[in-house]
Amino acid sequence: MSREFIPEDRAKQQTHYTTCYMCACRCGVKVTVDNGHVRFIEGNRSHPVNHGVICAKGSAGIMKQYSPAKLSKPLRRRSGSERGAGDFVEIEWDEALDLLTARLAKIRATNPTQLAFFTGRDQMQALSGLWAQQFGTPNWAAHGGFCSVNMAVAGLYTIGYSFWEFGAPDWDYAKYFMLWGVAEDHASNPIKIGLDKLKRSGAKFVSINPVRTGYSAIADEWIPIRPGTDGLLALALVHVLLKRGLVDWEFLIRYTNAPWLVVQTPGMPGDGLFARDGDGNPLVWDQDAQRLVNGTLAGIAPALYATRDLPDGRRAKTVFALATERYLDDRYAPETLAAECGVPAQTITRIALEMAHVAFNETVELLIPWTDMLGRTHHSVIGRPVAMHAMRGVSAHSNGFQTCRAIHLLQMLLGALDGPGNFRARTPFPRRIPMRTLPENDPALIFAPNTALKRMPNGYPARPEDLVIDADGRPLRIDKAYSWETPLSAHGLMHMVITNAVNRDPYPIDTLLLFMANMAWNSSMNTAEVRQMLARKDEQGDYAIPFLVVVDAFDSEIVKYADLVLPDTTYLERYDAISLLDRPISEPDAAADSIRHPVIALDRDVRPWQDVLVELASRLRLPAFSRADGSRKFKDYRDFIVNYEKLPGVGFLAGWRGKDGDKPLRGEPNPKQWERYIDNKGFFAYQWPEHMRYYRYANKDYLEFAEKHALRCRSSALPGRGCTPAGSRRIRGTASVSSHTSTRCRSGIHRSSPARPIAPGIR
């Protein structure tokens, strides 16, 4: 039996450009629509992330769009039915919004902490975080708390950017590439493009992974490692480099805290803290002057190895001296660690020597003049072309934080950060170390009715005073983030909220609001008991969590337990901003952001959660969303994105700002901004001039430009202030790369080891 072939009428088809939502890569896609239906999805060849490449997951977005599991109407749990039964009645949006507004208004007027708002991989955390801050609850966080956040925090506290989405390998100039624990499901398109470049250029590609699949299968060398022992391998490599003197001494002196003196008074106050002068500046030992000096000054010669007595009689050692004492110990020797990590000692030694050979004997020189943070001009850029990248295989362990720090230490010893051929930062990174974004921790504000928080719920504590605890040391957040239990939980602890809320520890809540978070199945690490907790009642017969609101585009296990279900749209049916204020699509050579916009019409009674958040904020008269008279500022999410300004001229989208759309990155609102993005195939990219592309933690022109355009927080008034608070404690034996214009960068050249090459960019 033959079947007649009916050709498609391409003249009746439309193509639209938007941003994929099938993973965190956020590639540009070209969607073909035929008679109001998605026909197929391709890659956008113009897009800076994927350059037209698309993976199977991205192509399968059409399956998501036409999934039978899509929700189609707001739902309220039927009166008398039990949670988990999935017994709902359909209601109208007005009823749903009235019900939720009334409950939220009561909470905000009495005790804002009784609202817990947690989101999954929503890619709009700048908006949901702002909403929580304006509502006044500290109980907000996103999925990062159980997805590689230890890796992100390790990088941000150590080098000012990190693996994950805050940096990328320099595929064009790298000659030696190490891939640590990366599977094929994260940033797959950019990595595939990059690996193709490496293979064509002849660079060596080493994959460290317990299994040889995907990327490892095409590596020049696959190193099968015992799961969870990547940190041991990294420190064994560090041991070899230190023992052989294969270290970029000048990089450590100029751009890290390696020469800073650390107080050594075991059992006494101040032990382990940086030694500082009366103005709070870090102290170093000047080899030329033979005295203690302010380590942020120019024209000094800091010692990397030094043990000195401070004026008050306390003993102090340099960070680098402490690091070498620890990692030169035989317990970190390849022969000692080989059995634990499953990698032969000879292989460990060889890999270390190969990296050092490439870093110091195959340097990359680009004839690009640039100026460093102290005003010194250099006629070229020098790179140590060793690049690294890491992901979940490294971070998904209890030791993931320290493992990532060990890898960053390895990069620092080689001087292989943000230069040609290195792991490079993506705007708005690198950030200051430590970052100045602190979580709100003022109990008077946190428990105040009808009051917005002054700071965001999430942040980066640098000292005990920054923790979110009360005067007795008890956590002020329902997930216990930023407490003594988990002080560096930068994205909060989403997976703890249900357990703590049911146990009313540290306090009870009234309403749990979950967006894109199927906590009853895949986000809690304890699925069976979590479902029991959601249905648990107290002695009075009331649910331990009184009210559960679930927002999602699809039915799921968690939906069955909801008291109220608000149906969301798919990514092809709504407006979205992938913002520089959040998790942008920047690449090392360009600051970039992107949008989504509706490419097909809605066919059911659902609303974008972004619009619902703006609506709820307007109804509740949250300050950032309301005028002084209580009237709403923004018609909807689309209007909010155009007209909201975090700072004068700084909004959610950086492209085509200014009334005429002629100002990049910073400018007044442009009423036609969405149209400009759509005309440009859904994205904006600001290409960095060559002299601003490298060493951005110490590049004067970049740092000044970034300050002007609010890509970084403003400089402190005094050198040394705001970088490392005087009372902060560092983990010994580590060095943190500077990302401050002057306060963390080393000037004078240390020449005690003339056999070693000079630092990147210093000619």
Side-chain angles (χ1 to χ4, degrees), residues 19-92:
T19 304
C20 187
Y21 204 173
M22 299 300 286
C23 78
C25 197
R26 295 155 300 167
C27 296
V29 291
K30 176 182 176 183
V31 183
T32 298
V33 177
D34 191 339
N35 194 28
H37 287 75
V38 178
R39 182 67 183 87
F40 50 86
I41 300 175
E42 304 170 90
N44 177 358
R45 293 180 180 272
S46 305
H47 201 271
V49 172
N50 60 315
H51 304 283
V53 176
I54 192 168
C55 66
K57 202 172 188 179
S59 296
I62 189 171
M63 298 172 67
K64 187 171 188 176
Q65 181 61 42
Y66 297 110
S67 166
K70 284 187 302 183
L71 297 169
S72 59
K73 191 82 175 175
L75 303 172
R76 177 174 52 80
R77 182 165 58 85
R78 190 183 303 277
S79 179
S81 67
E82 297 293 327
R83 281 190 188 166
D87 187 7
F88 298 106
V89 293
E90 293 185 348
I91 60 176
E92 300 303 320

Coordinates of all heavy atoms in Angstrom, one line a residue, residues 19-92:
T19 N 14.8 31.6 23.4 CA 15.9 31.0 24.2 C 15.4 29.7 24.7 O 14.3 29.6 25.3 CB 16.3 31.9 25.4 OG1 16.8 33.2 24.8 CG2 17.4 31.2 26.1
C20 N 16.1 28.6 24.6 CA 15.8 27.3 25.0 C 15.6 27.3 26.5 O 16.3 28.0 27.3 CB 16.8 26.3 24.6 SG 16.4 24.6 24.9
Y21 N 14.8 26.3 27.0 CA 14.6 26.2 28.5 C 14.7 24.7 28.9 O 14.2 24.3 30.0 CB 13.2 26.7 28.9 CG 13.1 27.2 30.3 CD1 11.9 27.8 30.7 CD2 14.1 27.0 31.2 CE1 11.7 28.3 32.0 CE2 13.9 27.5 32.5 CZ 12.7 28.1 32.9 OH 12.5 28.6 34.2
M22 N 15.4 23.9 28.1 CA 15.4 22.5 28.4 C 16.6 22.1 29.3 O 16.7 21.0 29.8 CB 15.5 21.7 27.1 CG 14.3 21.9 26.1 SD 12.8 21.4 26.9 CE 12.9 19.6 26.8
C23 N 17.5 23.1 29.5 CA 18.5 22.9 30.5 C 19.1 24.3 30.9 O 18.5 25.3 30.4 CB 19.7 22.0 30.0 SG 20.8 22.8 28.9
A24 N 20.1 24.4 31.7 CA 20.7 25.6 32.1 C 21.6 26.3 31.1 O 22.1 27.4 31.3 CB 21.4 25.5 33.4
C25 N 21.8 25.7 29.9 CA 22.7 26.2 28.9 C 22.1 27.5 28.3 O 22.9 28.4 27.9 CB 23.0 25.2 27.9 SG 24.4 25.5 26.9
R26 N 20.8 27.5 28.1 CA 20.1 28.7 27.6 C 20.6 29.0 26.2 O 21.0 30.2 25.9 CB 20.2 29.8 28.5 CG 19.5 29.6 29.8 CD 20.0 30.4 30.9 NE 21.4 30.1 31.2 CZ 22.2 30.8 31.9 NH1 21.8 31.8 32.5 NH2 23.5 30.5 32.1
C27 N 20.6 28.0 25.3 CA 21.0 28.2 23.9 C 19.9 29.0 23.1 O 18.8 29.0 23.5 CB 21.2 26.9 23.2 SG 22.5 25.9 23.9
G28 N 20.4 29.7 22.1 CA 19.4 30.3 21.2 C 18.8 29.3 20.2 O 19.5 28.4 19.7
V29 N 17.5 29.4 20.1 CA 16.8 28.5 19.2 C 15.9 29.2 18.2 O 15.5 30.3 18.4 CB 15.9 27.5 20.0 CG1 16.7 26.5 20.8 CG2 14.9 28.2 20.9
K30 N 15.8 28.5 17.1 CA 14.9 29.0 16.0 C 13.7 28.0 15.9 O 13.9 26.8 15.6 CB 15.7 29.0 14.7 CG 14.9 29.3 13.4 CD 15.8 29.2 12.2 CE 15.1 29.5 10.9 NZ 16.0 29.3 9.7
V31 N 12.5 28.6 16.1 CA 11.3 27.7 16.2 C 10.5 28.0 15.0 O 10.1 29.1 14.6 CB 10.5 28.1 17.5 CG1 9.3 27.2 17.6 CG2 11.4 28.0 18.7
T32 N 10.2 26.9 14.3 CA 9.3 27.0 13.1 C 7.9 26.6 13.5 O 7.6 25.6 14.1 CB 9.8 26.0 12.0 OG1 11.1 26.4 11.6 CG2 8.9 26.0 10.8
V33 N 7.0 27.5 13.2 CA 5.6 27.4 13.5 C 4.7 27.2 12.3 O 4.9 28.0 11.3 CB 5.1 28.6 14.4 CG1 3.6 28.4 14.7 CG2 5.9 28.7 15.6
D34 N 3.9 26.2 12.3 CA 3.0 25.9 11.1 C 1.6 25.9 11.6 O 1.2 25.0 12.4 CB 3.4 24.6 10.5 CG 2.8 24.3 9.2 OD1 1.7 25.0 8.9 OD2 3.3 23.5 8.4
N35 N 0.8 26.8 11.2 CA -0.7 26.8 11.5 C -0.9 26.9 13.0 O -1.7 26.2 13.6 CB -1.4 25.6 10.9 CG -2.9 25.8 11.0 OD1 -3.4 26.9 10.9 ND2 -3.6 24.7 11.0
G36 N 0.0 27.7 13.7 CA -0.2 27.8 15.1 C 0.4 26.7 16.0 O 0.3 26.8 17.2
H37 N 1.1 25.8 15.4 CA 1.7 24.7 16.1 C 3.2 24.6 15.8 O 3.7 25.0 14.7 CB 1.1 23.3 15.7 CG -0.3 23.1 16.2 ND1 -1.4 23.8 15.7 CD2 -0.7 22.4 17.2 CE1 -2.4 23.4 16.3 NE2 -2.1 22.6 17.3
V38 N 4.0 24.2 16.8 CA 5.4 24.1 16.6 C 5.7 22.9 15.7 O 5.3 21.8 15.9 CB 6.1 23.9 18.0 CG1 7.7 23.7 17.8 CG2 5.9 25.0 18.9
R39 N 6.4 23.2 14.6 CA 6.8 22.2 13.6 C 8.1 21.5 14.0 O 8.2 20.3 14.0 CB 6.8 22.8 12.2 CG 7.1 21.8 11.1 CD 6.0 20.8 11.0 NE 6.4 19.8 10.0 CZ 7.0 18.7 10.2 NH1 7.4 18.4 11.4 NH2 7.3 17.8 9.2
F40 N 9.1 22.3 14.3 CA 10.4 21.8 14.8 C 11.2 22.9 15.4 O 10.9 24.1 15.2 CB 11.2 21.1 13.7 CG 11.3 21.8 12.4 CD1 12.3 22.7 12.2 CD2 10.4 21.6 11.3 CE1 12.5 23.4 11.0 CE2 10.5 22.3 10.1 CZ 11.6 23.2 10.0
I41 N 12.3 22.6 16.1 CA 13.1 23.5 16.8 C 14.6 23.3 16.3 O 15.1 22.1 16.4 CB 13.0 23.4 18.3 CG1 11.6 23.6 18.7 CG2 14.0 24.3 19.0 CD1 11.3 23.4 20.2
E42 N 15.2 24.3 15.9 CA 16.6 24.3 15.5 C 17.5 25.2 16.3 O 17.0 26.0 17.1 CB 16.8 24.7 14.0 CG 15.9 23.9 13.0 CD 15.9 24.6 11.7 OE1 16.8 24.2 10.9 OE2 15.0 25.4 11.4
G43 N 18.8 25.2 16.2 CA 19.7 26.1 16.8 C 19.7 27.4 16.1 O 19.5 27.5 14.9
N44 N 20.0 28.5 16.8 CA 20.1 29.8 16.2 C 21.6 30.1 15.9 O 22.5 30.1 16.8 CB 19.6 30.9 17.3 CG 19.8 32.3 16.8 OD1 20.4 32.6 15.7 ND2 19.4 33.2 17.6
R45 N 21.9 30.1 14.6 CA 23.3 30.2 14.2 C 24.0 31.6 14.6 O 25.2 31.6 14.7 CB 23.4 30.1 12.7 CG 23.0 28.7 12.2 CD 23.1 28.6 10.6 NE 22.8 27.3 10.2 CZ 23.7 26.3 10.0 NH1 24.9 26.5 10.3 NH2 23.3 25.1 9.6
S46 N 23.2 32.6 15.0 CA 23.7 33.9 15.4 C 24.0 33.9 16.9 O 24.6 34.9 17.3 CB 22.8 35.0 15.0 OG 22.5 34.9 13.6
H47 N 23.6 33.0 17.6 CA 23.6 33.1 19.1 C 25.0 32.9 19.6 O 25.7 32.0 19.2 CB 22.6 32.1 19.7 CG 22.1 32.4 21.0 ND1 22.8 32.0 22.2 CD2 21.1 33.1 21.5 CE1 22.2 32.5 23.2 NE2 21.1 33.2 22.8
P48 N 25.4 33.7 20.6 CA 26.7 33.6 21.2 C 27.0 32.4 22.0 O 28.2 32.0 22.2 CB 26.9 34.9 22.0 CG 25.5 35.2 22.4 CD 24.6 34.9 21.2
V49 N 26.0 31.7 22.5 CA 26.2 30.5 23.3 C 26.4 29.2 22.4 O 27.4 28.5 22.6 CB 25.0 30.3 24.2 CG1 25.1 28.9 25.0 CG2 24.9 31.4 25.3
N50 N 25.5 29.0 21.5 CA 25.6 27.7 20.8 C 25.8 27.8 19.3 O 26.0 26.8 18.6 CB 24.2 26.9 21.0 CG 23.0 27.7 20.5 OD1 22.9 28.9 20.7 ND2 22.1 27.0 19.8
H51 N 25.8 29.0 18.7 CA 26.2 29.2 17.3 C 25.5 28.2 16.4 O 26.1 27.7 15.4 CB 27.7 29.1 17.2 CG 28.5 30.0 18.0 ND1 28.7 31.3 17.8 CD2 29.1 29.8 19.2 CE1 29.4 31.9 18.7 NE2 29.7 31.0 19.6
G52 N 24.2 27.9 16.7 CA 23.4 27.1 15.8 C 23.4 25.6 16.2 O 22.6 24.9 15.7
V53 N 24.3 25.2 17.1 CA 24.3 23.8 17.5 C 23.2 23.6 18.5 O 22.9 24.4 19.3 CB 25.7 23.5 18.2 CG1 25.7 22.1 18.8 CG2 26.8 23.7 17.3
I54 N 22.5 22.4 18.3 CA 21.4 22.1 19.2 C 21.5 20.6 19.6 O 21.9 19.8 18.8 CB 20.0 22.4 18.6 CG1 18.9 22.3 19.7 CG2 19.8 21.5 17.4 CD1 17.6 22.9 19.2
C55 N 21.2 20.3 20.9 CA 21.3 19.0 21.3 C 19.9 18.3 21.2 O 18.9 18.9 20.9 CB 21.7 18.9 22.8 SG 20.6 19.7 24.0
A56 N 19.9 17.0 21.5 CA 18.6 16.3 21.4 C 17.6 16.8 22.4 O 16.4 16.9 22.1 CB 18.9 14.8 21.6
K57 N 18.0 17.2 23.5 CA 17.1 17.8 24.5 C 16.5 19.0 24.0 O 15.3 19.3 24.2 CB 17.9 18.0 25.8 CG 17.0 18.1 27.1 CD 17.9 18.1 28.3 CE 17.1 18.0 29.6 NZ 18.0 18.0 30.8
G58 N 17.3 19.9 23.4 CA 16.7 21.2 22.9 C 15.7 20.9 21.8 O 14.7 21.6 21.7
S59 N 16.0 20.0 20.9 CA 15.1 19.7 19.8 C 13.8 19.1 20.4 O 12.7 19.3 19.8 CB 15.8 18.6 18.9 OG 16.9 19.2 18.2
A60 N 13.9 18.4 21.5 CA 12.7 17.7 22.1 C 11.8 18.7 22.8 O 10.8 18.3 23.4 CB 13.2 16.6 23.0
G61 N 12.1 20.0 22.8 CA 11.3 21.0 23.4 C 9.9 20.9 22.8 O 8.9 21.3 23.5
I62 N 9.7 20.5 21.6 CA 8.4 20.3 21.0 C 7.6 19.3 21.8 O 6.4 19.4 21.9 CB 8.5 19.9 19.5 CG1 7.2 19.9 18.8 CG2 9.2 18.5 19.3 CD1 7.3 19.7 17.3
M63 N 8.2 18.2 22.3 CA 7.6 17.2 23.1 C 7.1 17.9 24.4 O 6.0 17.5 24.9 CB 8.5 16.1 23.4 CG 8.9 15.3 22.2 SD 10.2 14.1 22.5 CE 9.2 12.9 23.5
K64 N 7.8 18.7 25.0 CA 7.4 19.4 26.2 C 6.2 20.3 25.9 O 5.3 20.4 26.7 CB 8.6 20.3 26.7 CG 8.3 20.9 28.1 CD 9.6 21.5 28.6 CE 9.4 22.0 30.1 NZ 10.7 22.5 30.6
Q65 N 6.2 21.0 24.8 CA 5.1 21.8 24.5 C 3.8 21.1 24.3 O 2.7 21.6 24.7 CB 5.4 22.6 23.2 CG 4.3 23.6 22.7 CD 4.1 24.7 23.8 OE1 5.1 25.2 24.4 NE2 2.8 25.0 24.0
Y66 N 3.9 19.9 23.8 CA 2.6 19.1 23.6 C 2.5 17.9 24.5 O 1.8 17.0 24.2 CB 2.6 18.7 22.1 CG 2.5 19.9 21.2 CD1 3.6 20.2 20.4 CD2 1.4 20.7 21.2 CE1 3.6 21.4 19.6 CE2 1.3 21.9 20.4 CZ 2.4 22.2 19.6 OH 2.4 23.3 18.9
S67 N 3.1 18.1 25.7 CA 3.0 17.0 26.7 C 1.5 17.0 27.2 O 0.9 18.0 27.5 CB 3.9 17.3 27.9 OG 3.6 16.5 29.0
P68 N 1.0 15.8 27.4 CA -0.4 15.7 28.0 C -0.4 16.0 29.4 O -1.5 16.1 30.0 CB -0.7 14.2 27.7 CG 0.6 13.5 27.6 CD 1.5 14.5 26.9
A69 N 0.8 16.2 30.1 CA 0.8 16.5 31.5 C 0.7 18.0 31.8 O 0.7 18.4 33.0 CB 2.1 16.0 32.1
K70 N 0.5 18.8 30.8 CA 0.4 20.2 31.0 C -0.9 20.5 31.8 O -1.9 19.9 31.6 CB 0.3 21.0 29.7 CG 1.6 21.2 29.0 CD 1.5 22.1 27.8 CE 0.5 21.6 26.8 NZ 0.4 22.4 25.6
L71 N -0.7 21.4 32.8 CA -1.9 21.9 33.6 C -2.6 22.9 32.7 O -2.1 23.6 31.9 CB -1.4 22.5 34.9 CG -0.7 21.6 35.8 CD1 0.0 22.4 37.0 CD2 -1.6 20.5 36.4
S72 N -3.9 23.0 33.0 CA -4.7 23.8 32.1 C -5.7 24.8 32.8 O -6.4 25.6 32.2 CB -5.6 22.9 31.2 OG -6.4 22.1 31.9
K73 N -5.7 24.7 34.2 CA -6.7 25.5 34.9 C -6.2 25.6 36.4 O -5.6 24.7 36.9 CB -8.0 24.9 34.9 CG -9.2 25.7 35.4 CD -9.7 26.6 34.3 CE -11.0 27.4 34.8 NZ -11.4 28.4 33.8
P74 N -6.4 26.8 37.0 CA -6.1 26.8 38.5 C -6.9 25.8 39.2 O -8.1 25.5 38.9 CB -6.5 28.2 38.9 CG -6.5 29.0 37.6 CD -6.9 28.1 36.5
L75 N -6.3 25.2 40.3 CA -7.0 24.1 41.0 C -6.9 24.4 42.5 O -5.9 24.9 43.0 CB -6.2 22.8 40.7 CG -6.1 22.3 39.3 CD1 -5.2 21.1 39.2 CD2 -7.5 22.0 38.7
R76 N -8.0 24.0 43.2 CA -8.1 24.1 44.6 C -8.4 22.7 45.2 O -9.3 22.1 44.7 CB -9.1 25.1 45.1 CG -9.3 25.3 46.6 CD -10.2 26.4 47.0 NE -11.5 26.4 46.3 CZ -12.5 25.6 46.6 NH1 -12.4 24.7 47.6 NH2 -13.6 25.6 45.9
R77 N -7.7 22.3 46.2 CA -8.0 21.0 46.8 C -9.4 21.0 47.3 O -9.9 21.9 48.0 CB -7.0 20.7 48.0 CG -7.2 19.3 48.6 CD -6.0 19.0 49.5 NE -5.7 19.9 50.5 CZ -6.3 19.9 51.7 NH1 -7.3 19.0 52.0 NH2 -6.0 20.8 52.6
R78 N -10.1 19.9 47.0 CA -11.5 19.8 47.3 C -11.7 19.8 48.8 O -10.9 19.1 49.5 CB -12.1 18.6 46.7 CG -13.7 18.5 46.8 CD -14.2 17.2 46.3 NE -13.8 17.0 44.9 CZ -14.4 17.5 43.8 NH1 -15.5 18.2 44.0 NH2 -14.0 17.3 42.6
S79 N -12.6 20.5 49.4 CA -12.9 20.5 50.8 C -13.2 19.1 51.3 O -14.0 18.4 50.7 CB -14.1 21.4 51.1 OG -14.4 21.4 52.5
G80 N -12.5 18.7 52.3 CA -12.6 17.4 52.9 C -11.7 16.3 52.4 O -11.6 15.2 53.0
S81 N -11.1 16.6 51.2 CA -10.1 15.6 50.7 C -8.8 15.7 51.4 O -8.5 16.8 52.0 CB -10.0 15.8 49.2 OG -9.3 17.1 48.9
E82 N -8.0 14.7 51.2 CA -6.7 14.7 51.9 C -5.6 15.0 50.9 O -5.7 14.8 49.7 CB -6.4 13.3 52.5 CG -7.4 12.8 53.5 CD -7.3 13.7 54.8 OE1 -6.1 14.1 55.1 OE2 -8.3 13.9 55.5
R83 N -4.5 15.6 51.4 CA -3.4 15.9 50.6 C -2.8 14.6 50.1 O -2.7 13.6 50.8 CB -2.3 16.6 51.4 CG -2.5 18.1 51.6 CD -1.3 18.7 52.2 NE -1.6 20.1 52.5 CZ -0.8 20.8 53.3 NH1 0.3 20.3 53.8 NH2 -1.1 22.1 53.6
G84 N -2.4 14.6 48.8 CA -1.8 13.5 48.2 C -2.8 12.7 47.3 O -2.4 11.9 46.5
A85 N -4.1 13.0 47.5 CA -5.2 12.3 46.8 C -5.3 12.9 45.4 O -5.9 12.2 44.5 CB -6.5 12.3 47.5
G86 N -4.9 14.1 45.2 CA -5.0 14.8 43.9 C -6.5 15.1 43.6 O -6.8 15.1 42.4
D87 N -7.3 15.3 44.6 CA -8.7 15.6 44.4 C -8.9 17.1 44.4 O -8.9 17.7 45.4 CB -9.5 14.9 45.5 CG -11.0 15.0 45.3 OD1 -11.4 15.5 44.2 OD2 -11.7 14.6 46.2
F88 N -9.1 17.7 43.2 CA -9.2 19.1 43.0 C -10.5 19.5 42.4 O -11.2 18.8 41.7 CB -8.0 19.6 42.2 CG -6.7 19.4 42.7 CD1 -5.9 18.4 42.2 CD2 -6.2 20.1 43.8 CE1 -4.6 18.1 42.7 CE2 -4.9 19.9 44.3 CZ -4.1 18.9 43.7
V89 N -10.8 20.8 42.6 CA -11.9 21.5 41.8 C -11.2 22.6 41.0 O -10.3 23.3 41.5 CB -13.0 22.0 42.7 CG1 -13.7 20.9 43.4 CG2 -12.4 23.0 43.8
E90 N -11.7 22.8 39.8 CA -11.2 23.9 39.0 C -11.8 25.2 39.5 O -12.9 25.2 39.8 CB -11.5 23.6 37.5 CG -10.7 22.5 36.9 CD -11.0 22.4 35.4 OE1 -11.9 23.1 34.9 OE2 -10.3 21.6 34.7
I91 N -10.9 26.2 39.5 CA -11.4 27.5 39.9 C -10.9 28.6 38.9 O -10.1 28.3 38.0 CB -11.0 27.9 41.3 CG1 -9.4 28.0 41.4 CG2 -11.5 27.0 42.4 CD1 -8.9 28.5 42.7
E92 N -11.5 29.8 38.9 CA -11.1 30.8 38.0 C -9.8 31.6 38.6 O -9.6 31.5 39.8 CB -12.2 31.8 37.8 CG -13.4 31.2 37.2 CD -13.1 30.5 35.9 OE1 -12.4 31.1 35.1 OE2 -13.7 29.4 35.6

